[in-house]
Amino acid sequence: MRLQNILRNASKFRDVFDFGERQVTHWFPGHMAKGMKQMKANLKKVDCILEIHDARISFVERHINTQSLAIRPHLLVLNKMDLADPSCKQRVLKQLRESGVRNVLFTDCLRQTDENVKKIVPLVAELIDSRPRYHREEEMSYCLMVIGVPNVGKSSLINALRRTNLKKGKASKVGGEPGITKAVLTKIQVCERPPMFLVDTPGVFPPAVENVETGMKLALCGTILDHLVGEDVIADYLLYSLNRLEKFSYVDRYDLGEPSDDIQHVLKRIAVKLGKTQRVKAITGVGDITITMPNYSAAAYDFIRAFRKGDLGRVTLD
Ligand SMILES: Nc1nc2c(ncn2[C@@H]2O[C@H](COP(=O)(O)OP(=O)(O)OP(=O)(O)O)[C@@H](O)[C@H]2O)c(=O)[nH]1
């Protein structure tokens, strides 16, 4: 019965999201372009690129496709796999293979015992040894460059590599907001045998995100400061995505009764459920009355945070 209700509702969901006149270019602060330059300048000193991406958006235009970065061996780490839909894994791998990306690992680097984090050092050493190292042939140690958009877990992965291979603690500051990794750090050791170091870079974006939808997915996953995009539109895009992917756990979480494609309705119910309401005075013809208004911003904030923490289920957006 419940499934029938959901399926009946499915026909009412939007097929496309209306992005209006939005322009992604305003969403990416200037330091990202600077980071890209620093990254290229450091390329001579590295043997391999370790590209970290969010497993929920694996097909976003990536740095490795751009210019000079492609000359180094490359490992794509799709991190935050604990938040992505495991049933999409094989499809993602197949599509990446078809686009020429062969070396891919899925990680959840917050999990102490993630098996794939353990595989990174041996796989990187193998990749480096399988190709000429050019002017770095005499080097006894391996050097990696870690790249990725903000907030995908670069610092967390570096810390996980140190924890796993050196039994050492944190070298990189971890933050919940995009853009914590601001400076290009000097070399950080991640393994003794073989000696392996890496340089951390600011979370830099590719110079051009191909369309607004890609930008919106990045925003939803927390790689752009929310206020640059607007929490109301991120929340609406989240609702659109959950319905499109038939991920309806939000219905029970917020006591909605049935799925809805109307963000105002959903936010109102979230606000009421969470007690995020405000009492405001209204002037009417028969005198002043106090009415209870839902706090839409607080509700949008909660909805987005719940998605980012995985509380709305494991979702792959691509
Ligand atoms: N669920 C989950 N969260 C993660 C994972 N890795 C990192 N995080 C969280 O994602 C947030 C960002 O992590 P960071 O390691 O600071 O990311 P970063 O890429 O270095 O961020 P910038 O400094 O902004 O470039 C933090 O709240 C981490 O706890 C993961 O595998 N799974």
Side-chain angles (χ1 to χ4, degrees), residues 81-101:
M81 188 52 211
D82 53 310
L83 303 177
D85 185 344
S87 69
C88 297
K89 229 166 154 176
Q90 291 312 319
R91 172 183 58 84
V92 166
L93 280 175
K94 182 167 176 280
Q95 276 177 256
L96 285 168
R97 239 189 340 264
E98 282 166 6
S99 62
V101 184

Side-chain angles (χ1 to χ4, degrees), residues 17-24 26-27 212 216 229 232-233:
F17 188 81
D18 180 7
F19 293 101
E21 298 293 302
R22 287 186 175 80
Q23 302 259 335
V24 266
H26 306 307
W27 298 348
V212 191
M216 196 62 83
V229 181
D232 50 344
V233 67

Side-chain angles (χ1 to χ4, degrees), residues 49-209:
I49 308 271
L50 191 60
E51 186 184 11
I52 325 276
H53 220 301
D54 192 310
R56 292 167 294 179
I57 36 174
S58 21
F59 301 117
V60 163
E61 172 69 20
R62 298 184 339 277
H63 299 295
I64 202 65
N65 296 336
T66 61
Q67 315 112 17
S68 47
L69 298 186
I71 62 168
R72 293 281 182 252
H74 167 252
L75 172 62
L76 176 64
V77 174
L78 293 173
N79 189 40
K80 305 199 183 183
M81 188 52 211
D82 53 310
L83 303 177
D85 185 344
S87 69
C88 297
K89 229 166 154 176
Q90 291 312 319
R91 172 183 58 84
V92 166
L93 280 175
K94 182 167 176 280
Q95 276 177 256
L96 285 168
R97 239 189 340 264
E98 282 166 6
S99 62
V101 184
R102 297 193 177 280
N103 308 307
V104 184
L105 282 177
F106 291 94
T107 57
D108 162 10
C109 69
L110 297 188
R111 192 152 56 95
Q112 299 280 329
T113 52
D114 190 284
E115 286 302 314
N116 279 358
V117 170
K118 290 187 195 154
K119 289 183 191 162
I120 292 176
V121 165
L123 185 54
V124 163
E126 194 187 312
L127 286 174
I128 296 172
D129 290 344
S130 67
R131 288 167 62 155
R133 287 177 77 186
Y134 303 108
H135 56 281
R136 293 184 52 78
E137 215 64 68
E138 306 295 309
E139 279 289 334
M140 300 302 287
S141 61
Y142 300 113
C143 186
L144 274 64
M145 184 185 278
V146 177
I147 64 168
V149 295
N151 219 28
V152 288
K154 296 181 295 303
S155 303
S156 304
L157 188 81
I158 293 169
N159 293 334
L161 285 171
R162 284 170 60 82
R163 196 173 61 222
T164 310
N165 299 295
L166 293 174
K167 314 285 176 240
K168 286 220 169 109
K170 293 181 176 169
S172 280
K173 201 174 162 194
V174 175
E177 291 278 295
I180 291 285
T181 319
K182 284 264 162 58
V184 174
L185 300 178
T186 43
K187 283 172 155 190
I188 300 168
Q189 186 157 24
V190 287
C191 190
E192 244 157 33
R193 269 185 294 174
M196 195 174 283
F197 296 84
L198 46 84
V199 281
D200 190 11
T201 60
V204 280
F205 258 97
V209 170

